[in-house]
Amino acid sequence: MKSHRLPFENRWTNNTHAWQWNCELDRLGVANVRAMFADHEAHHASQRTVIFDIPAGFVRDWLAFHDRRAARQQLLWRASVIALTLIAATAAVLGALRA
């Protein structure tokens, strides 16, 4: 079996379990996992596991990784929109000056 590497730091278990947990959380989706984690923290904080046998710390790290990735994507999107707006404004000003 091929060893997979998680895209975030894992201090909760070995690679095989971590990869299975990561795949299970990916299958559930960020929104569902976030809702399940919020419910866990509000009502069952004394339990060590959130979803099936996945520890709360692993779920927290997984959500933090996805939040950082979403923030990075949003930053790149905004930077590209700003750059394209500046290019369009520059072209408009140069076009107006030539006329």
Side-chain angles (χ1 to χ4, degrees):
M1 181 174 175
K2 182 180 176 187
S3 176
H4 298 284
R5 180 157 160 60
L6 290 176
F8 58 94
E9 181 182 349
N10 169 36
R11 57 182 182 255
W12 304 101
T13 187
N14 65 25
N15 285 340
T16 304
H17 274 100
W19 186 253
Q20 291 171 350
W21 292 347
N22 183 58
C23 290
E24 183 63 29
L25 294 176
D26 284 341
R27 187 186 65 77
L28 290 171
V30 175
N32 289 334
V33 171
R34 191 176 306 281
M36 294 168 99
F37 184 70
D39 179 64
H40 172 267
E41 291 295 307
H43 299 105
H44 311 288
S46 62
Q47 295 178 354
R48 297 182 67 208
T49 60
V50 178
I51 303 162
F52 308 118
D53 64 339
I54 304 174
F58 186 87
V59 174
R60 187 178 298 113
D61 291 348
W62 185 85
L63 286 170
F65 164 73
H66 283 280
D67 289 344
R68 285 190 308 271
R69 189 172 73 174
R72 187 171 46 247
Q73 288 174 340
Q74 187 175 25
L75 179 66
L76 289 173
W77 172 253
R78 286 181 180 177
S80 63
V81 167
I82 290 170
L84 291 174
T85 302
L86 287 174
I87 291 170
T90 303
V93 168
L94 290 176
L97 289 177
R98 287 188 180 196

